Amino acid sequence: LWRRKKRRTMLTLPALESSQLDEQAQLESEIEVYRWTGQNDLCQLLSNDKLAVGGGTISDSDGNGFGFVVDKDIMKGSSSPCVTYDNPCLVSCSSSDQIHNNNEDTDNSS
């Protein structure tokens, strides 16, 4: 699993100047990588209703134990800490929040 170290700005491309595009590209190139811990084999799950990466609930965390999971329509998903990759929640939200795809922007709402 991976995530960007710094959050993407919400400026639209026409509003960005050339120097800002260079700065944005630099910010987005910095990532944190969470490698397989070897503690379980729950690397990927594909079923009729979801696609999930990572598994295993960490004892003192909330959430479903999936490092990242999206529904069958790729319209909703969530992230939580998991044993497989020893990762934190990969998005800026609480574990009870879901990520919704509005076909325009990602909205973190509960």
Side-chain angles (χ1 to χ4, degrees):
L1 292 176
W2 63 270
R3 72 174 174 180
R4 282 191 300 268
K5 286 186 176 182
K6 298 185 177 146
R7 192 167 186 189
R8 178 178 284 180
T9 62
M10 294 306 188
L11 296 175
T12 58
L13 288 177
L16 292 174
E17 296 177 9
S18 177
S19 63
Q20 290 174 313
L21 284 173
D22 292 340
E23 291 172 21
Q24 188 65 32
Q26 178 61 36
L27 287 174
E28 292 185 18
S29 67
E30 298 175 16
I31 62 171
E32 295 174 301
V33 176
Y34 302 96
R35 300 185 188 286
W36 179 57
T37 63
Q39 294 184 37
N40 64 31
D41 291 328
L42 305 175
C43 296
Q44 298 177 15
L45 168 70
L46 177 61
S47 67
N48 290 334
D49 63 339
K50 70 175 105 3
L51 168 66
V53 178
T57 304
I58 296 175
S59 61
D60 58 339
S61 70
D62 295 329
N64 57 21
F66 292 123
F68 184 77
V69 61
V70 292
D71 72 1
K72 66 181 178 181
D73 298 322
I74 312 176
M75 296 300 288
K76 289 186 279 184
S78 65
S79 175
S80 62
C82 77
V83 172
T84 309
Y85 298 105
D86 192 25
N87 60 283
C89 180
L90 299 174
V91 294
S92 299
C93 65
S94 70
S95 60
S96 62
D97 291 343
Q98 288 192 337
I99 304 129
H100 298 277
N101 181 350
N102 295 336
N103 293 331
E104 294 179 13
D105 194 8
T106 302
D107 175 30
N108 292 341
S109 59
S110 43

